[in-house]
Amino acid sequence: MPHQPPNQPQPLTPPRDPQLVLLRHGETEWSRSGQHTGRTDIPLTEAGEEQARSAGTTLARYEFAAVRTSPLTRARRTAELAGHPDAVVDEDLAEWDYGPVDGRTSRDVSEELGREFQIFEDGVRVLPPSPEHGDGRPGETLEQVAARVARVVARAEETLGAGGDVLLVAHGHLLRVLATVWLGVDPRLGARFELGTAAVCLLGYGHDLRTIEGWNLAAQ
């Protein structure tokens, strides 16, 4: 294999058994500033587009039987740049509807509450609906997000059970909740799973259990 410069991503080698592969979208202005980005539909930055291309190189050896993406622009563009322009849009992969927290940083919310804000513990309905944030929607509960991703997992397992790999292109908090659903644990544990922009995660099976085989993998 020819030597590649150290700044070039190295492709992962797919295992023999099928995997559910997760890809978070690339950087946006709000992900860079730490603002919660739920249903607000903003584009990737130039750096985010480059991250998406690198993720595509990382996953280049996979032959996915199914590729699904969030309907939001930042995810669909990431899927396209990663080499999957025909990814099927799945509404259940949209990011957590943050409602009154949308567009705010955790620090902003903490200052308004007068205490530290932890989204996986507090949810987003700690603030009243606001037309300036989330178009006045109350936002989703964590349990509602978990129910959505459970449907995604059920659909993915149909393909995994037939021996095919599945790629899901979506969002940070949504994918962290999905990991907890995959493992069958409390969705609040998603707070413990850090996930960077355009990072790859690998979910699979071991000893008849759902497992995490790789998490928060930057371009390899």
Side-chain angles (χ1 to χ4, degrees):
M1 181 176 178
H3 175 72
Q4 295 190 35
N7 63 339
Q8 293 297 309
Q10 301 292 314
L12 294 169
T13 300
R16 182 181 308 170
D17 296 327
Q19 285 185 323
L20 178 57
V21 180
L22 313 180
L23 173 59
R24 185 186 174 192
H25 65 76
E27 180 195 78
T28 68
E29 292 289 349
W30 281 16
S31 72
R32 185 164 58 191
S33 62
Q35 292 168 265
H36 288 91
T37 320
R39 302 304 170 84
T40 300
D41 206 6
I42 60 177
L44 301 178
T45 62
E46 184 175 339
E49 294 205 344
E50 186 56 39
Q51 288 176 339
R53 294 185 186 95
S54 293
T57 302
T58 299
L59 298 174
R61 291 178 180 166
Y62 281 81
E63 295 183 7
F64 292 107
V67 181
R68 300 188 179 96
T69 179
S70 158
L72 295 166
T73 300
R74 56 194 184 274
R76 289 190 291 108
R77 180 64 171 157
T78 296
E80 177 186 1
L81 293 173
H84 302 283
D86 298 324
V88 175
V89 170
D90 187 336
E91 297 291 334
D92 283 333
L93 284 173
E95 179 61 296
W96 187 341
D97 184 347
Y98 296 129
V101 173
D102 197 81
R104 298 174 186 250
T105 66
S106 292
R107 182 175 179 177
D108 293 338
V109 179
S110 296
E111 289 178 353
E112 187 158 342
L113 294 177
R115 62 173 175 81
E116 185 177 3
F117 170 63
Q118 294 282 355
I119 192 168
F120 280 91
E121 289 290 337
D122 294 322
V124 300
R125 296 182 177 181
V126 289
L127 297 179
S130 166
E132 288 80 30
H133 299 278
D135 295 325
R137 297 186 305 276
E140 289 179 293
T141 66
L142 179 58
E143 291 73 23
Q144 287 173 325
V145 179
R148 280 201 286 118
V149 297
R151 295 194 294 265
V152 174
V153 168
R155 288 191 287 270
E157 283 212 298
E158 294 178 6
T159 304
L160 295 168
D165 295 318
V166 177
L167 174 64
L168 304 178
V169 186
H171 310 270
H173 280 153
L174 186 285
L175 293 175
R176 290 160 74 173
V177 175
L178 190 149
T180 68
V181 169
W182 179 258
L183 295 175
V185 299
D186 190 330
R188 291 178 296 178
L189 289 174
R192 307 285 182 168
F193 297 140
E194 289 291 347
L195 185 56
T197 51
V200 170
C201 303
L202 309 173
L203 309 184
Y205 303 91
H207 303 286
D208 297 319
L209 297 173
R210 291 176 179 175
T211 60
I212 293 180
E213 300 180 347
W215 187 262
N216 200 27
L217 305 176
Q220 301 296 301

